[in-house]
Amino acid sequence: MPVNKIKRVLNRSDNREFIGASILAFAVRILGALAAFIATFCIARVLGAEESGYYFLAFSIVSVLAAISRGGMDNTVIRFIGADPQQARGIYRKAIALAAILSVAVALAVTFSAEYFSTNVLNKPLLAPVLHSMALGTLGLGIFTLAANALQGLRRVAASIFILNIAINLALVVAVSALGITTASTLAWGYSISSLLIAALGSVLFWRHTPTQTDFSVSWRTLFASAVPLWAVTIMSQLVQWSGQFVAGAYLPSTDVAQLAVAQRTAMLTSFVLIAINLVVAPRFAAFYKNGELEALSALAKKSVIMTSLLALPIVALMMLIPSFIMGFFGLEFVSGATLLRVLAIGQFINVITGSVGFLLIMSGHEKDVRNVTLISGSIALLLTWLLTAQFGAIGAASGTAIAVATQNLLAVYLVKKRLGFNTLAVWRR
């Protein structure tokens, strides 16, 4: 009987812990998704399609540059802190030191090259002041992302989601709705300042959750052995996500870029359940693999797939059935982006139903496999979005992004089966 099966599941302490932590992560992640949606709504509504297009394009550029500035430490921090929290403070110090040095260098490069890049590469001279204003955001975004990842490694799910998703979007909502900001360059300044404050807050929260006696460290050599392959992974993953907007920025007017950005941000609501579950399972993956508990690892991975798929399905259904209505929330200028939303939602749903395959490989020490997958999918993203955008405009950019996301996840499914012996798509198998 289903009721008896549910009772058996709940009688196990590990299942209760996982379900409880997942519910907490899901609830907080809902707040994060709502904050992101409201921020996108406010920016699109108040700034309009043209100005919001410049802002979103600048943000996508800064997101990739911030990923470069983190030196591949994103998932390395989660892996090592999740496997042994006694190492937390030493790992965090080294990750932040590396990110700070790289971020400052990247911010200076953005400041000095913004004019040339905007005018001669993207043919959008009005983008230059927005990039100038958002340059410091590479430092803030880089550090608060690492702080959130360190909190995730400590299994402080609510704090991690707040720093990574909620705080910055709340700051943007306040900037647009309460402070009356109406231009992309002014909002970009708001983003830079807010990101630096959130980075400081994230570090304070991390320090509060790590007692002074947990001051052990891992050598630079050990960290780099994990981080260097993951550096390419992080950069290429960002390219998979944002390459459509990059290429659209070079070929299409700012209003089309805005439609694509809003559609993509809305479609990503589909995968917020996966992100929420990842916050819970990633440290557990690392611990199970370290202790040789491969059956427990497989069971946890499949539970997470079932949970995320069931939660994401209604969201995808709405995006497929009433995309014009959803895009209309952002203003009449965005209604014609309904097809973009459908295409991007399909790619995100494939991301969800394949499960936490990237984290499974990283937390089990197979960083090079993830690097190879993202090199392939990132190259596909750049090539397809370039070819399809030149031929079909914004719908081509959306299609290239969706295909790249699907390719990345399906390749990772294959490698999880090869390395760990189970298929995350075959949830009915033991």
Side-chain angles (χ1 to χ4, degrees), residues 362-396:
I362 291 168
M363 299 302 145
S364 60
H366 297 100
E367 294 95 335
K368 291 182 179 178
D369 284 334
V370 180
R371 177 199 62 193
N372 295 337
V373 166
T374 53
L375 285 174
I376 293 170
S377 56
S379 300
I380 289 173
L382 286 172
L383 180 62
L384 276 182
T385 52
W386 176 55
L387 292 173
L388 295 177
T389 303
Q391 188 69 30
F392 302 106
I395 190 66

Side-chain angles (χ1 to χ4, degrees), residues 143-153 156 159-161 163-164 202 279:
I143 292 178
F144 81 62
T145 299
L146 287 177
N149 288 347
L151 288 165
Q152 181 183 347
R156 301 290 180 173
S160 177
I161 295 176
I163 293 299
L164 189 60
L279 288 163

Side-chain angles (χ1 to χ4, degrees), residues 22-324:
S22 297
I23 290 172
L24 173 62
F26 182 65
V28 180
R29 191 65 184 90
I30 286 177
L31 295 177
L34 284 174
F37 183 82
I38 293 169
T40 303
F41 171 82
C42 290
I43 292 168
R45 278 280 189 175
V46 175
L47 269 64
E50 184 175 2
E51 282 291 306
S52 65
Y54 287 124
Y55 174 82
F56 289 133
L57 181 55
F59 176 78
S60 65
I61 293 168
V62 165
S63 295
V64 174
L65 294 176
I68 294 171
S69 73
R70 292 192 293 272
M73 288 289 179
D74 305 58
N75 291 307
T76 296
V77 163
I78 301 172
R79 177 190 170 191
F80 283 97
I81 293 177
D84 185 2
Q86 296 294 309
Q87 306 171 125
R89 289 196 173 190
I91 292 169
Y92 188 67
R93 282 197 191 100
K94 289 178 177 175
I96 291 298
L98 178 64
I101 293 169
L102 293 174
S103 295
V104 170
V106 168
L108 289 172
V110 171
T111 300
F112 288 113
S113 65
E115 202 81 42
Y116 177 86
F117 180 77
S118 300
T119 303
N120 297 294
V121 178
L122 295 181
N123 195 29
K124 288 182 171 56
L126 294 178
L127 179 66
V130 187
L131 280 176
H132 276 298
S133 301
M134 202 179 278
L136 271 178
T138 57
L139 177 61
L141 177 57
I143 292 178
F144 81 62
T145 299
L146 287 177
N149 288 347
L151 288 165
Q152 181 183 347
L154 292 172
R155 302 187 185 184
R156 301 290 180 173
V157 174
S160 177
I161 295 176
F162 177 77
I163 293 299
L164 189 60
N165 300 110
I166 298 177
I168 190 64
N169 287 307
L170 286 178
L172 291 173
V173 170
V174 170
V176 173
S177 59
L179 300 181
I181 290 174
T182 58
T183 65
S185 59
T186 308
L187 183 59
W189 267 119
Y191 179 89
S192 292
I193 294 167
S194 299
S195 67
L196 291 171
L197 294 174
I198 293 165
L201 175 61
S203 294
V204 169
L205 289 175
F206 171 78
W207 236 251
R208 285 189 60 189
H209 289 304
T210 51
T212 54
Q213 65 264 29
T214 62
D215 198 7
F216 295 91
S217 186
V218 174
S219 69
W220 279 109
R221 184 175 181 178
T222 302
L223 288 177
F224 279 134
S226 173
V228 170
L230 292 176
W231 200 358
V233 169
T234 304
I235 295 168
M236 296 307 283
S237 294
Q238 291 292 314
L239 286 176
V240 169
Q241 183 170 338
W242 302 114
S243 61
Q245 291 181 45
F246 286 161
V247 178
Y251 280 95
L252 305 175
S254 175
T255 52
D256 286 1
V257 176
Q259 283 188 354
L260 182 63
V262 167
Q264 184 166 356
R265 287 162 175 263
T266 306
M268 288 173 69
L269 292 173
T270 303
S271 60
F272 83 89
V273 290
L274 178 62
I275 298 170
I277 297 301
N278 282 343
L279 288 163
V280 177
V281 299
R284 289 171 168 80
F285 287 162
F288 281 145
Y289 187 80
K290 183 180 179 182
N291 297 328
E293 301 176 55
L294 295 184
E295 287 189 11
L297 180 65
S298 172
L300 179 60
K302 291 177 181 178
K303 287 175 196 171
S304 68
V305 169
I306 294 170
M307 185 177 293
T308 54
S309 298
L310 290 175
L311 291 171
L313 191 58
I315 303 171
V316 177
L318 287 175
M319 291 181 187
M320 299 304 291
L321 292 172
I322 53 170
S324 297

